Amino acid sequence: MRKAPALVVVLGVFAALVTTVPIGYLAVRLIQGWQAALAEILRFRTLELLGNTGLLVLAVTASALVIGFSQAWLTTKTNVVFAAGFAVSAALPLAIPSYVMALSYISIFNGLSGFFAAWLVLTLATSPLVFLAVTAALARLDSSSEEVARTLGLGKLQVLLKVTWPQVRTAATASGLLVALYVLGEFGAIALLRYDTFTRAIYNAYRGSFDRTSAAALAVVLLLITLLVIWFERKYRGEYVASKKQLGKKLRVDLGIWRLPAALWLGLIAIFSTALPIASLVIWSIQGSANLDLGVLLDALWGSVQLAGLAGIGIGIFGTAIALWSIRYRSRLGQIVEWSSWSIHAVPAIVVGLALVFFGANVTPWIYQTSWLLLIAYLILFLPNALAGLATPIAQVPVLLEEVSQSLGVPANKSMARVVLPIALPGIVAAVSLVGLTVLKELPATLLLRPSSLNTLATRLWGATEDLAYSQAAPYALLLVIIAGLPALALNLQARRALSEVRS
Amino acid sequence: MKKTLSYIVAGALALSLTACSNPLDEDKNSITVYAGRSESLVQPLIDSFQEETGIQVEVRYAGSAELAAQLLEEGQNSPADVFFAQDAGALGAVSKAGLLIQLPDSILEKVPASYSAADGSWIGVSGRVRVLNYNPQRVSQLPQSVFDLAQPEWKGRVGIAPTNASFQAFVTAMQVIEGDAKTLQWLEAMKENAVLYEKNSAILEAVESGAIDAGLINHYYWFARGQEVGFENLTSKIGQFASGDVGNLINAAGVGIVADSKAARQFVEYLLSETGQRYFADQTSEYPLIDGVTAPVDLTPLAEIPAPAIDLNDLDRLDQTLDLIRAAGLI
């Protein structure tokens, strides 16, 4: 077993310690009121919430996997028309915060609510996560085994199911995990669409009754569900294996008579996930632009970009260290650190935010209400997003190259820095963009922890909807979507890069 | 970890106790305000306060409930000097945790005692009235009582916001006046009859668009909407129930002091000055609470609202209210 570099260990352990702050906070709350907490958990309502939440998580994860996978496969491996255009529209919803998606749907379809509404909006909001992960895996896939299968007489569908799917299964299930945890911790869209889940109950416990014990009790149940979901995903997805080979050639599937239906399917999804919400935002923005204060808008834009940039780079560094540790060194401690970063991922942002308020105000007042504590909150909330994006590029750097480098006398740590990281760099940049764009959309923790004078597009958007003027909120939402759209498009290009390299 | 933490908390407590025993901080020239009311509404008033007094005000804007939760977590180490909240519930929660000082009588006497906390830990700044927002084409005769909405004829026609603080305060009032049994019965009927929304504004939106026929909201949402789109363009109207009905509850937004200083008191006094009170009345169509400042002309005077007789200080039993709302299956 190789030993991980000290820097990797220090960064990894720091990140793991930071994620224990919310867990410690929940423990403090539970110990202070364990009887009330137990009473809260042992109510029939908990069971009801469990059912509601489980149903939504399963439904959204399944449909996001189907949609995201079909988009990825059709646009990278087949001769479907407008493949590049459809790929862009498949990635773009990532830039639309789910609460904005929900708002625009409510504005189009009056009174939209309940399970179906929540399922629809969250499926549209999360399938880009699957699309991007699967596209990246497919684009880097070596087609030789598919070709062998074809020559052995397997049909196109059989090749897809028996040869292609197993090779991208790891990437797909990892993105499915992100989707499931996203749904578990989602509040904004679910509140707007009025579907009751654990997370909504946690928010209501804080906001309705200032009942921190009940909220903590429910959050702990959510934490346990998260661990269960992660355990299932790990059991099913198999391991990331460091690749031995270089990229091979690509095979494209001729859809034949299915070319048109496939394009219609992609077009239909594009209308619902991208065209409708953006059209409604543009219409509102035109109505609201009259009252817009440009200075305020630019100030919020600067705040957003600054935070997202810093958080993206910071989390990228921590994430790279942890991914290297758990994939290329395969140490037990490294894996524990990775698990602990994932465990807190579905805990609602308001819980993480309040945990850091408690910790910051009472233990580390010198960073309380500064950007530092906010950045730590982002690290806790979004490290798993980075890890999900980093695992594939880091695993796919051929082990052989590292071995060659070492046989030429370069020390192990230097080989890592000079060979592995540069090759994985495009993937790392993609993960950083993904984190940056997620930070742009974050609201609850930002409101609780930001320096009082710092505003972001998301906080301005919140302020405008509090004033009940949706038209005034729209310009902020639109600008947020445009800004977040840039990394989303970059991610799409990045995922398809390997594809164009071979085609051109 | 927990032990260290408790030492730190104990230390901080001791420090703040000594701070309390000191005479009022006269020289403090900057304060931090946690504001649960919207920035577009409050900031212009705060700007003029800064100009007039030279006191620097740092404002932290967020929802009242989130700020209350934040204050509770911060405990004695809160950087806040003043908590300006949208509703009595948020102030009550912070006050019950012992985080608000008792206001001096010179401030308390500005406003009728019924719009402040019984222990003097916070004071009302502006008043709001619960109303029935309705579509006159669909509702020809106004219901006499909020209890009439429990009748089968209202099934699917009326909107409520069970997670909203103003709705919950209204249910608390119903409990106080009508008792738990009758309140639960009404809530259960509303589970059958009502369409549920997250906010007052969403109810108004739904009544305006015709999705529902009526809804229970605070009066100023309707006025704000009218000012945004023009009163002549509103489809819906607002009305009151019969005299003394709990559906006509008057509630208040208020302010409390977290860390006492001359500057913090000046800020509270400014909100209760004629300038401050007139500002709220003009900007938000809320009711001014001090003597001598009248509400805008198109607003029914507060004294003429057929409000139920209730002491606002009794609205601090939110836990029991939530139990009832939960028991009825509304949240």
Side-chain angles (χ1 to χ4, degrees):
Chain A
M1 179 71 44
R2 297 186 298 163
K3 258 183 76 183
L7 183 63
V8 164
V9 176
V10 168
L11 288 173
V13 169
F14 177 81
L17 283 179
V18 163
T19 56
T20 59
V21 169
I23 297 174
Y25 161 82
L26 290 176
V28 169
R29 284 280 157 270
L30 286 190
I31 292 163
Q32 280 177 350
W34 64 271
Q35 279 160 320
L38 207 61
E40 176 69 35
I41 292 174
L42 295 178
R43 290 187 324 146
F44 174 71
R45 173 154 174 81
T46 308
L47 211 61
E48 199 182 7
L49 289 174
L50 207 57
N52 278 354
T53 311
L55 188 67
L56 189 67
V57 168
L58 289 177
V60 172
T61 310
S63 52
L65 277 171
V66 169
I67 289 180
F69 183 83
S70 69
Q71 287 172 319
W73 185 74
L74 287 171
T75 56
T76 54
K77 301 286 287 183
T78 74
N79 63 343
V80 74
V81 289
F82 304 128
F86 282 131
V88 166
S89 87
L92 216 49
L94 203 58
I96 307 175
S98 44
Y99 50 86
V100 171
M101 181 92 88
L103 270 178
S104 57
Y105 263 87
I106 292 172
S107 82
I108 301 170
F109 305 103
N110 231 320
L112 188 73
S113 69
F115 172 78
F116 173 77
W119 167 81
L120 176 73
V121 165
L122 289 181
T123 297
L124 296 174
T126 55
S127 43
L129 291 169
V130 179
F131 165 77
L132 286 171
V134 175
T135 298
L138 282 174
R140 300 188 71 86
L141 197 69
D142 182 28
S143 293
S144 51
S145 45
E146 289 170 348
E147 260 170 276
V148 172
R150 290 296 297 279
T151 51
L152 288 175
L154 257 60
K156 288 167 190 169
L157 190 66
Q158 281 173 306
V159 173
L160 171 64
L161 293 178
K162 291 188 177 163
V163 184
T164 314
W165 167 250
Q167 295 189 69
V168 297
R169 197 183 77 177
T170 317
T173 37
S175 62
L177 174 66
L178 273 183
V179 172
L181 298 186
Y182 185 97
V183 177
L184 274 177
E186 167 64 24
F187 171 69
I190 279 179
L192 287 166
L193 300 167
R194 291 184 282 123
Y195 182 71
D196 253 341
T197 64
F198 259 102
T199 297
R200 189 172 177 215
I202 290 169
Y203 272 78
N204 286 342
Y206 279 121
R207 308 211 292 193
S209 55
F210 315 98
D211 183 350
R212 295 174 292 164
T213 309
S214 293
L218 293 173
V220 167
V221 177
L222 198 57
L223 192 75
L224 296 177
I225 301 174
T226 310
L227 289 174
L228 192 73
V229 172
I230 297 172
W231 181 77
F232 264 114
E233 189 259 355
R234 290 293 138 103
K235 206 169 144 66
Y236 179 69
R237 82 159 186 215
E239 293 287 332
Y240 284 106
V241 181
S243 155
K244 297 251 183 225
K245 281 177 298 187
Q246 265 292 20
L247 277 176
K249 58 185 262 188
K250 301 285 166 244
L251 179 75
R252 270 205 294 166
V253 177
D254 185 0
L255 288 173
I257 55 160
W258 291 100
R259 252 187 117 181
L260 189 65
L264 283 178
W265 164 247
L266 293 180
L268 193 71
I269 302 171
I271 287 173
F272 279 101
S273 68
T274 318
L276 274 185
I278 290 180
S280 119
L281 272 185
V282 170
I283 293 168
W284 281 357
S285 296
I286 294 168
Q287 286 174 357
S289 58
N291 299 325
L292 194 65
D293 183 336
L294 204 62
V296 172
L297 185 79
L298 290 177
D299 174 63
L301 174 66
W302 172 234
S304 278
V305 170
Q306 217 179 351
L307 277 179
L310 283 173
I313 292 166
I315 297 170
I317 292 171
F318 281 103
T320 306
I322 295 174
L324 281 175
W325 199 3
S326 66
I327 294 170
R328 298 200 84 96
Y329 295 100
R330 314 197 135 259
S331 91
R332 186 120 201 105
L333 186 60
Q335 264 151 8
I336 293 174
V337 165
E338 202 214 341
W339 262 82
S340 89
S341 345
W342 276 98
S343 66
I344 203 79
H345 190 51
V347 170
I350 193 172
V351 177
V352 173
L354 284 173
L356 288 177
V357 165
F358 178 65
F359 184 80
N362 295 303
V363 183
T364 57
W366 56 90
I367 54 166
Y368 186 55
Q369 291 185 4
T370 68
S371 300
W372 291 107
L373 198 63
L374 183 55
L375 289 172
I376 289 177
Y378 291 147
L379 176 66
I380 297 172
L381 289 167
F382 303 127
L383 186 56
N385 299 54
L387 290 176
L390 286 164
T392 309
I394 286 180
Q396 278 179 342
V397 179
V399 172
L400 196 65
L401 290 181
E402 212 183 326
E403 285 165 6
V404 168
S405 156
Q406 283 179 44
S407 72
L408 291 172
V410 181
N413 288 352
K414 272 201 174 157
S415 305
M416 190 59 71
R418 287 205 189 150
V419 178
V420 178
L421 288 184
I423 295 177
L425 191 65
I428 296 175
V429 171
V432 165
S433 330
L434 179 66
V435 169
L437 113 98
T438 318
V439 166
L440 281 174
K441 299 187 289 179
E442 208 287 331
L443 180 62
T446 311
L447 268 181
L448 281 169
L449 295 167
R450 76 201 158 102
S452 296
S453 55
L454 179 75
N455 274 295
T456 69
L457 290 171
T459 63
R460 286 290 174 196
L461 172 59
W462 167 83
T465 53
E466 280 296 287
D467 287 353
L468 39 120
Y470 289 157
S471 62
Q472 284 170 30
Y476 293 107
L478 190 63
L479 188 59
L480 183 57
V481 171
I482 292 169
I483 293 298
L486 297 176
L489 293 180
L491 277 167
N492 179 50
L493 280 179
Q494 162 63 28
R496 294 171 65 82
R497 203 177 62 113
L499 197 71
S500 55
E501 271 171 12
V502 176
R503 275 189 184 165
S504 56
Chain B
M1 160 87 190
K2 217 195 150 204
K3 212 167 181 186
T4 334
L5 207 67
S6 48
Y7 281 136
I8 291 169
V9 172
L13 255 166
L15 258 176
S16 60
L17 280 180
T18 46
C20 287
S21 61
N22 283 344
L24 192 61
D25 189 345
E26 298 276 349
D27 306 325
K28 195 168 176 180
N29 206 28
S30 72
I31 54 171
T32 300
V33 175
Y34 280 14
R37 312 216 55 183
S38 79
E39 179 168 0
S40 57
L41 169 64
V42 174
Q43 193 59 47
L45 188 65
I46 290 179
D47 288 342
S48 53
F49 170 75
Q50 297 192 93
E51 246 166 63
E52 280 179 35
T53 60
I55 296 169
Q56 289 290 316
V57 184
E58 187 177 31
V59 198
R60 191 171 182 84
Y61 292 101
S64 290
E66 280 84 353
L67 287 172
Q70 183 154 16
L71 282 162
L72 293 176
E73 295 298 358
E74 289 169 346
Q76 301 291 341
N77 290 329
S78 176
D81 295 291
V82 173
F83 181 29
F84 184 18
Q86 177 81 281
D87 57 81
L91 285 160
V94 177
S95 156
K96 267 188 264 177
L99 296 171
L100 297 178
I101 66 141
Q102 199 199 327
L103 295 171
D105 289 342
S106 60
I107 291 180
L108 286 173
E109 68 200 11
K110 287 179 193 287
V111 164
S114 56
Y115 302 121
S116 302
D119 60 0
S121 58
W122 59 267
I123 185 166
V125 170
S126 56
R128 63 274 305 267
V129 179
R130 296 290 295 174
V131 296
L132 183 74
N133 176 220
Y134 66 98
N135 180 337
Q137 285 152 14
R138 310 262 189 87
V139 182
S140 48
Q141 198 171 7
L142 284 184
Q144 285 294 295
S145 162
V146 74
F147 285 95
D148 292 350
L149 299 176
Q151 301 298 322
E153 67 193 74
W154 281 97
K155 191 168 169 58
R157 295 171 60 200
V158 58
I160 57 173
T163 57
N164 175 271
S166 337
F167 177 82
Q168 292 173 351
F170 147 73
V171 175
T172 313
M174 186 186 276
Q175 269 178 290
V176 171
I177 297 172
E178 309 282 350
D180 284 4
K182 197 173 171 191
T183 305
L184 183 61
Q185 216 178 3
W186 183 79
L187 288 169
E188 279 168 346
M190 293 314 278
K191 166 85 177 167
E192 281 299 306
N193 278 1
V195 184
L196 308 185
Y197 293 87
E198 202 69 21
K199 295 176 173 185
N200 283 300
S201 49
I203 296 178
L204 175 61
E205 196 104 3
V207 176
E208 279 289 316
S209 72
I212 51 173
D213 297 347
L216 296 174
I217 63 171
N218 286 346
H219 77 278
Y220 55 85
Y221 287 91
W222 187 81
F223 281 94
R225 178 75 179 204
Q227 274 159 0
E228 194 188 337
V229 302
F231 284 97
E232 66 282 3
N233 296 323
L234 289 180
T235 320
S236 71
K237 292 186 165 180
I238 53 173
Q240 304 285 169
F241 299 100
S243 179
D245 192 81
V246 65
N248 304 333
L249 177 74
I250 300 176
N251 203 340
V255 63
I257 294 182
V258 181
D260 203 7
S261 67
K262 192 163 171 248
R265 289 182 183 195
Q266 269 178 286
F267 181 78
V268 171
E269 278 161 2
Y270 192 74
L271 294 180
L272 297 167
S273 69
E274 208 180 311
T275 323
Q277 292 284 294
R278 187 161 301 289
Y279 178 82
F280 283 110
D282 291 345
Q283 292 294 314
T284 66
S285 312
E286 282 176 280
Y287 288 97
L289 294 180
I290 64 165
D291 276 347
V293 178
T294 48
V297 274
D298 49 354
L299 215 57
T300 322
L302 205 53
E304 288 170 29
I305 295 290
I310 188 168
D311 186 344
L312 262 196
N313 304 318
D314 291 338
L315 296 186
D316 63 350
R317 22 183 288 191
L318 207 60
D319 290 1
Q320 295 158 51
T321 304
L322 281 156
D323 282 345
L324 278 194
I325 299 177
R326 274 186 194 141
L330 283 168
I331 55 172

